[in-house]
Amino acid sequence: MPFPVRLARGLACCVLAVLLAGRPAAAQSLTNGALRGVVLYAADATPIRGVQVTVEGSDGRGVAFLESDGSGHFIAPLLAPGTYRVLAEQVGLQSVRVTGVVVAAGQTTSLSIRLERRPPPVEQVDEIRMPGLSAGNSLGHMLPGNILFTGDRHRSVTDVSRDVADVVRAGDAREGWALSSGGQPANASRLWVDGIPEQLMRHPGAPGEPASAPLFQRDALSQAQIVSAGIDAEWRGYPGSVLAGHTARGGNQLAFRPYATVSSGSLAADTKDNPADSTAISFQVGASLSGAIVRDTAHYSLRFDYQRLQTASPYPWEADSASYLDLPVSLRETIGSIAQDSFGVSLPHAVQPAMRTWQGFSGMGRADWRFGRHDLTLRFGFADWDEESPLLLDERSNLAQAELQSTDLSGAFSLTSNWQSAANELRIGLSQSQRDWIGNGLPATLLATEGVSFGGSAGLPGRFQGRSLDFSDAVQFRLSRHRLKLGASYNILDYEQDYRYGAAGVFTFGGLDQFGSAEGTFFQTVGGGTATPRISTAGLFIQDSWAASPEFTVLLGIRYDRQSLPDDEIQLDQDWATLTGFRNDFVPEDTKMVGPRAGFVWDVQGRGEWIVRAGAGLFASGMDPALFAEAALLDGAIEVRRGIGTFTSWPDAPASGLAPTLGPRLTHFSTQYRNPRAFKGGLGLSRTFTDGTALHVGGAYYHTDYLPRRLDLNLGGQVAETQEGRPVYGTLVQQGGLISPEPASNRAFSTFDLVSLIDAEGFADYYEASILLEKQLAAGLSFSLGYTWSRTTDNVLGQRTLDPADQLNPFPEGLNGSDWTEGRSDFDVPHRAALSAQYRAGANTPFTLGARWRFRSGLPFTPGFRPGVDLNGDGAGNNDPAFLDPDAASALTGANCSSPANTFAERNSCREDPVHALDLRASVGLPIRTADGSRLWLFLDAFNVVSSETGIVDRALLLVDPDGTLVDDGLGNLTVPLVVNPNFGNIISRRNDPRMLRVGLRMDY
């Protein structure tokens, strides 16, 4: 029987079983939460039976009407995420309304209400603010709406990473969710909105590049969560973390909330960040509109925005002094004059500060309709934007006049049904995301001695698109003390990728002298087309939540997923198969993924004051579509041109005689390839206090297996050895400060270039300990202080570079009997902190003062050589570690490095300086109000008032001496002329997020 038929029959049986159950279901949902509470006498803390409990929305509308049972408990299942008020009243008792009760999706908020005896009549209601704790099984960080609406440097929901210490932010001028999370690169993160997976795409060839989602704006959300280890079996496998957003729904009252902001890059800007004194005028305008179609029954919410953000940038490189023809010169002026005089090319934009512009609009609409026991939601949104001179990983060129064109579309349908005997959640989602990276017409050009690049990027151009249809259904019911949930999911992804590294050509020159004489190397990939794989994933899950006691709940679940990959996208290269016996068209067959989950929640004494949470599970993720597309593209149709010599045609590609076509570049999977799988375990303790303060302490351990790694099957054998003992695999040639192999001299089969075998031998270990102290008040001082310590080790290289060859092990036969790649991860950032505080006072004319400070450790790096210098001749110009002789080892002292002397540097044994920044905010409420209670606010934001210097660090510990000579004794022994780099560890290209003042008006509460 076909798998989809078996899945449908199983789901039908589950629904029938649910309908036969006999008690109300409680919340086990990714999109809804639950509120559980206990009502006690204030005097002796004994339970009270029969208290009328009304759960009210922010507009005062009652959304749940309950009554406490014999133990004083009540529960409201399937509440939409948001902030609620809870009214408890009974004759003879003082009525109490608890405000600021936050209900989080996928979790159960616990609340303890104490009532005092009071003879009737009771003429007033006492109001207290005592937020409950989230007691569900999703181990993560919840961000309520009031946090989302403040300090929004960028309006996308991905910008909330500025407010937390859970993930590793870029720390420079790049905008996006995170560099990494859970020890995994940016492309391992996921975005879910309203329980539906959405596209989170930037440049798939750059796994460490943070991605943004302007379609989902902060003011369109009621809540966001960072789910590091979602124990609920409904969560599908994910290697990093999930940013889960929940869009806001309309209320009974008409609410129109416009906003407008304006800022200038010339106000309070640092001269180093804006040397051209650009005005960099930016503005944002938008509005949201919500209200009732049918009061208490149908509601709508709409929003739109338009933004034009300009960011002035510094010079492409920090230092301007250089040497040309043995004379001191200006690097910027000399590059421009050489280009003009020697090649007849004007380069004003390539050597001057670029104006980075982000311009686009987005809109979203949502409609909710409640009929009987059913809630129907429809949502649709779109976004279209362009980025001029965008940032991309550690690209040292300013990419002036390059462009990123992006569009996002998203639609969703959900139907939630809550009968007395069962509950069901059906969700269907459609999404499309497209990224077109357009080059500026210049090839990437590197100067090895100076360590700078200009022109274009080897990562451009590229076109990437993903279209997804997602279906999921979950049914749940309750039997005695058990809450059972089971369901299914199905996802179809149509993915397109038209990209090959180096398509526009890459020129590398030894330095200014060699650029002037046009002596260098050339690399280019030619040919190819578009890969269009269709990848589908079907899943089933079942779990049981057992209430062992009113305070202790155990969750057990298991998830099964099966991914289907196309078997006709990768074509066989018969020449390679004949030469080696390896088939490049192998498609991994082990796509079955099983993920058991287990956890518990202990609500100590059932009062919601102390919560202990723990959980563990296996999370098996599917094939990265970009990796599969690479194998489909590099199946023999794309060939490589390489040349070494004099290229007077720059910036145009040289003639075929100077840079001949060597042969195809292949990528194929190992027959033992398996999809990545992660074990995640965590423990958390939360404590709430009566003044609204909450303390959260947690720890976690993640171990990820079967991460893809790259091996070169076409690397020739060792032919020589340097004076350091470094193995060399090709015939090396020196051109000034550049050393590279003769084309094809390092190949086992000269008719092929790099042949990448993708195996599943990678692993990562991630340890984490965190603390979060927060206090949220309507007036007075509110604050949030988070700190995370973590450690990450792995054996996966090149996750922060564009060149696939940089993912190769520089010591493929091992180093001193061990694997050099095992060590500190590229994303090991041990210390992260985020502090935000706000003081609010006043009634008729309220005002607020706020501050936000964020800090993280610097990123690790390996001391090596200039980009382009390939000292071992393996074809990778950015993966060779330096040898630490006494002179080199002494230079490590002032650069946050730790490595033993007289050996090759350990992987990532150095660390950049820490990154920190301070933002300030002030606002005042104007005497302009609307019927729904909104007020017009005037605010002033100051971003990066105090910040560290951030940018690309000079990682070259050693330089090739351009005045020296490479000596080959003819016996396989090479002497390479090397000198210590005096600039090692300093910033070579500044990337600061610049200081900025922004003034605006906003209609808000």
Side-chain angles (χ1 to χ4, degrees):
M1 185 184 299
F3 180 75
V5 176
R6 297 199 305 269
L7 186 150
R9 288 189 177 181
L11 181 60
C13 294
C14 295
V15 173
L16 179 61
V18 168
L19 296 178
L20 295 177
R23 298 193 63 181
Q28 292 187 78
S29 170
L30 301 187
T31 56
N32 293 286
L35 175 64
R36 181 180 63 195
V38 60
V39 185
L40 308 170
Y41 283 111
D44 54 8
T46 57
I48 310 175
R49 181 188 182 95
V51 176
Q52 302 299 312
V53 179
T54 304
V55 181
E56 304 171 339
S58 58
D59 58 358
R61 175 171 59 96
V63 297
F65 304 92
L66 312 165
E67 183 176 305
S68 62
D69 59 18
S71 61
H73 288 87
F74 62 89
I75 185 168
L78 294 178
L79 291 176
T83 303
Y84 292 87
R85 302 182 301 182
V86 180
L87 173 64
E89 50 190 354
Q90 187 182 68
V91 176
L93 298 174
Q94 172 63 49
S95 299
V96 169
R97 176 179 282 111
V98 183
T99 63
V101 179
V102 177
V103 173
Q107 303 189 35
T108 300
T109 296
S110 296
L111 187 65
S112 177
I113 303 176
R114 303 200 176 205
L115 302 181
E116 296 181 351
R117 299 182 186 275
R118 187 82 65 198
V122 176
E123 298 179 349
Q124 65 178 17
V125 177
D126 289 346
E127 287 200 2
I128 60 174
R129 186 174 181 87
M130 189 176 65
L133 283 177
S134 297
N137 282 283
S138 292
L139 298 175
H141 189 169
M142 194 273 295
L143 300 169
N146 61 323
I147 294 179
L148 294 176
F149 299 153
T150 58
D152 52 343
R153 172 71 171 86
H154 297 275
R155 302 192 60 80
S156 170
V157 65
T158 53
D159 188 56
V160 299
S161 55
R162 291 175 181 264
D163 300 293
V164 300
D166 303 67
V167 298
V168 179
R169 270 195 54 80
D172 54 19
R174 284 176 292 175
E175 192 272 325
W177 167 232
L179 286 178
S180 71
S181 60
Q184 294 297 303
N187 69 343
S189 294
R190 301 290 183 262
L191 173 66
W192 284 53
V193 179
D194 299 327
I196 296 172
E198 299 285 349
Q199 304 281 341
L200 187 61
M201 182 185 293
R202 191 161 171 87
H203 193 307
E209 184 70 7
S212 180
L215 170 59
F216 299 102
Q217 302 282 295
R218 287 184 178 218
D219 57 356
L221 303 179
S222 62
Q223 190 180 100
Q225 292 173 291
I226 302 169
V227 183
S228 302
I231 305 305
D232 193 305
E234 193 172 353
W235 286 112
R236 303 171 206 180
Y238 56 94
S241 65
V242 172
L243 174 59
H246 306 278
T247 56
R249 61 177 63 193
N252 280 334
Q253 292 183 322
L254 180 67
F256 176 62
R257 300 188 182 118
Y259 70 86
T261 71
V262 63
S263 62
S264 171
S266 62
L267 294 177
D270 191 320
T271 303
K272 291 182 179 180
D273 295 323
N274 187 11
D277 195 25
S278 302
T279 56
I281 298 296
S282 300
F283 66 88
Q284 301 166 309
V285 294
S288 62
L289 176 68
S290 62
I293 303 173
V294 178
R295 189 174 180 84
D296 294 332
T297 300
H299 303 86
Y300 69 91
S301 63
L302 303 169
R303 72 149 195 89
F304 77 92
D305 72 276
Y306 178 80
Q307 304 179 61
R308 188 174 189 272
L309 309 178
Q310 289 191 321
T311 303
S313 68
Y315 285 103
W317 45 87
E318 190 80 347
D320 188 42
S321 59
S323 175
Y324 180 56
L325 302 178
D326 295 326
L327 296 175
V329 295
S330 164
L331 181 59
R332 303 179 192 118
E333 293 179 0
T334 306
I335 288 177
S337 63
I338 291 175
Q340 185 67 57
D341 298 341
S342 300
F343 305 101
V345 177
S346 178
L347 289 179
H349 299 292
V351 298
Q352 296 298 320
M355 176 63 72
R356 309 193 192 281
T357 303
W358 193 107
Q359 181 171 300
F361 63 91
S362 69
M364 180 174 292
R366 169 173 171 154
D368 297 273
W369 182 26
R370 173 174 292 182
F371 53 101
R373 299 179 181 273
H374 310 280
D375 284 289
L376 174 67
T377 298
L378 294 172
R379 171 175 58 79
F380 176 78
F382 64 93
D384 185 281
W385 74 98
D386 294 340
E387 297 180 52
E388 296 179 5
S389 305
L391 291 171
L392 181 61
L393 275 182
D394 283 355
E395 181 59 71
R396 301 186 183 192
S397 168
N398 62 13
L399 295 185
Q401 299 182 332
E403 189 175 0
L404 169 59
Q405 298 177 349
S406 306
T407 58
D408 283 345
L409 296 172
S410 176
F413 165 87
S414 66
L415 177 64
T416 301
S417 304
N418 190 14
W419 301 283
Q420 181 180 7
S421 58
N424 186 81
E425 291 181 284
L426 170 66
R427 294 187 288 269
I428 301 174
L430 291 163
S431 64
Q432 175 177 304
S433 185
Q434 181 172 316
R435 304 290 184 267
D436 288 328
W437 290 82
I438 302 171
N440 56 14
L442 292 173
T445 306
L446 292 79
L447 303 183
T449 299
E450 292 76 18
V452 303
S453 63
F454 54 92
S457 168
L460 306 183
R463 183 178 183 273
F464 313 93
Q465 184 182 80
R467 295 185 297 271
S468 175
L469 169 63
D470 191 85
F471 162 86
S472 64
D473 191 84
V475 292
Q476 53 181 291
F477 57 94
R478 181 170 178 172
L479 294 173
S480 184
R481 294 184 178 182
H482 296 269
R483 297 203 308 268
L484 300 179
K485 182 171 74 166
L486 59 165
S489 64
Y490 187 72
N491 181 277
I492 299 176
L493 173 66
D494 284 324
Y495 183 75
E496 295 183 16
Q497 180 165 305
D498 181 4
Y499 165 70
R500 56 188 186 275
Y501 176 82
V506 180
F507 286 91
T508 306
F509 299 101
L512 276 177
D513 290 341
Q514 287 70 39
F515 181 46
S517 58
E519 297 176 6
T521 66
F522 176 76
F523 164 82
Q524 187 179 29
T525 52
V526 294
T530 302
T532 58
R534 168 172 283 190
I535 301 174
S536 61
T537 306
L540 293 169
F541 68 90
I542 183 171
Q543 74 178 26
D544 175 31
S545 181
W546 171 45
S549 71
E551 295 84 24
F552 195 82
T553 302
V554 178
L555 184 143
L556 296 173
I558 190 168
R559 181 175 184 90
Y560 171 82
D561 291 280
R562 182 173 182 177
Q563 188 179 62
S564 297
L565 301 172
D567 56 8
D568 58 351
E569 279 284 322
I570 304 175
Q571 304 302 313
L572 174 66
D573 189 297
Q574 188 61 58
D575 291 340
W576 177 252
T578 301
L579 282 172
T580 65
F582 289 101
R583 295 181 65 95
N584 68 294
D585 61 345
F586 171 76
V587 176
E589 298 176 354
D590 187 8
T591 58
K592 303 178 183 67
M593 300 167 281
V594 178
R597 316 280 172 84
F600 71 83
V601 179
W602 180 22
D603 183 355
V604 181
Q605 297 181 334
R607 299 178 181 179
E609 297 175 352
W610 288 94
I611 302 291
V612 181
R613 299 173 297 172
L618 285 179
F619 298 79
S621 63
M623 167 77 73
D624 182 351
L627 184 61
F628 188 90
E630 179 190 326
L633 288 169
L634 300 182
D635 60 358
I638 294 177
E639 296 188 306
V640 171
R641 298 182 61 197
R642 291 186 185 271
I644 186 168
T646 302
F647 304 110
T648 57
S649 65
W650 182 94
D652 297 328
S656 59
L658 294 175
T661 300
L662 300 183
R665 171 172 280 200
L666 300 180
T667 294
H668 64 89
F669 296 100
S670 164
T671 56
Q672 305 301 315
Y673 183 87
R674 298 184 61 179
N675 285 328
R677 179 192 65 184
F679 167 82
K680 297 185 177 185
L683 174 68
L685 171 67
S686 300
R687 172 70 166 102
T688 188
F689 302 91
T690 57
D691 63 350
T693 304
L695 175 67
H696 311 267
V697 180
Y701 168 69
Y702 307 155
H703 176 78
T704 306
D705 283 320
Y706 309 129
L707 291 172
R709 294 202 309 173
R710 189 180 302 267
L711 291 83
D712 185 3
L713 292 184
N714 197 30
L715 181 65
Q718 180 177 340
V719 297
E721 185 176 277
T722 68
Q723 75 268 27
E724 319 153 304
R726 186 190 310 269
V728 178
Y729 300 94
T731 302
L732 300 185
V733 176
Q734 181 182 2
Q735 295 172 302
L738 176 67
I739 287 182
S740 53
E742 283 273 7
S745 66
N746 56 356
R747 296 301 168 199
F749 303 98
S750 60
T751 54
F752 286 87
D753 193 70
L754 170 66
V755 178
S756 297
L757 177 71
I758 307 299
D759 67 18
E761 299 297 322
F763 76 89
D765 281 308
Y766 176 79
Y767 301 86
E768 176 185 288
S770 62
I771 183 170
L772 175 65
L773 179 65
E774 54 186 351
K775 181 175 184 177
Q776 302 295 330
L777 297 176
L781 179 64
S782 299
F783 64 86
S784 173
L785 171 60
Y787 169 77
T788 298
W789 171 88
S790 65
R791 186 179 71 182
T792 309
T793 57
D794 63 24
N795 64 345
V796 183
L797 301 180
Q799 299 184 89
R800 287 165 48 200
T801 64
L802 283 164
D803 190 351
D806 292 338
Q807 300 171 14
L808 298 174
N809 186 349
F811 303 102
E813 284 88 26
L815 180 64
N816 299 324
S818 62
D819 184 355
W820 179 85
T821 66
E822 293 187 15
R824 181 182 290 166
S825 167
D826 294 348
F827 300 106
D828 178 63
V829 179
H831 303 289
R832 307 189 294 274
L835 169 64
S836 59
Q838 176 174 286
Y839 178 76
R840 177 167 176 164
N844 296 328
T845 308
F847 69 91
T848 66
L849 298 173
R852 176 178 60 194
W853 176 76
R854 54 195 184 276
F855 170 90
R856 70 158 170 82
S857 301
L859 294 171
F861 66 93
T862 304
F865 302 89
R866 294 289 196 211
V869 174
D870 185 4
L871 214 57
N872 71 342
D874 64 350
N878 202 24
N879 72 336
D880 292 322
F883 184 81
L884 305 180
D885 62 19
D887 291 338
S890 64
L892 297 177
T893 306
N896 302 317
C897 299
S898 60
S899 239
N902 296 315
T903 185
F904 288 97
E906 296 177 356
R907 180 185 168 214
N908 287 328
S909 53
C910 296
R911 189 176 296 279
E912 299 172 1
D913 290 335
V915 177
H916 65 88
L918 173 67
D919 303 331
L920 300 176
R921 179 183 178 92
S923 61
V924 59
L926 304 179
I928 300 176
R929 310 198 68 167
T930 60
D932 70 327
S934 297
R935 180 190 296 272
L936 184 64
W937 289 81
L938 172 66
F939 61 87
L940 175 67
D941 290 317
F943 296 103
N944 304 303
V945 177
V946 178
S947 63
S948 56
E949 291 192 349
T950 305
I952 301 172
V953 169
D954 192 346
R955 301 167 187 169
L957 175 63
L958 300 175
L959 304 178
V960 176
D961 185 357
D963 297 324
T965 303
L966 177 68
V967 178
D968 185 349
D969 66 358
L971 300 175
N973 300 305
L974 299 178
T975 301
V976 183
L978 300 174
V979 294
V980 175
N981 177 15
N983 194 56
F984 172 69
N986 296 324
I987 292 177
I988 200 169
S989 182
R990 188 178 175 91
R991 282 281 193 86
N992 273 42
D993 195 1
R995 189 183 305 153
M996 187 189 74
L997 293 179
R998 183 180 69 179
V999 63
L1001 291 170
R1002 182 188 187 105
M1003 189 69 72
D1004 207 344
Y1005 285 111

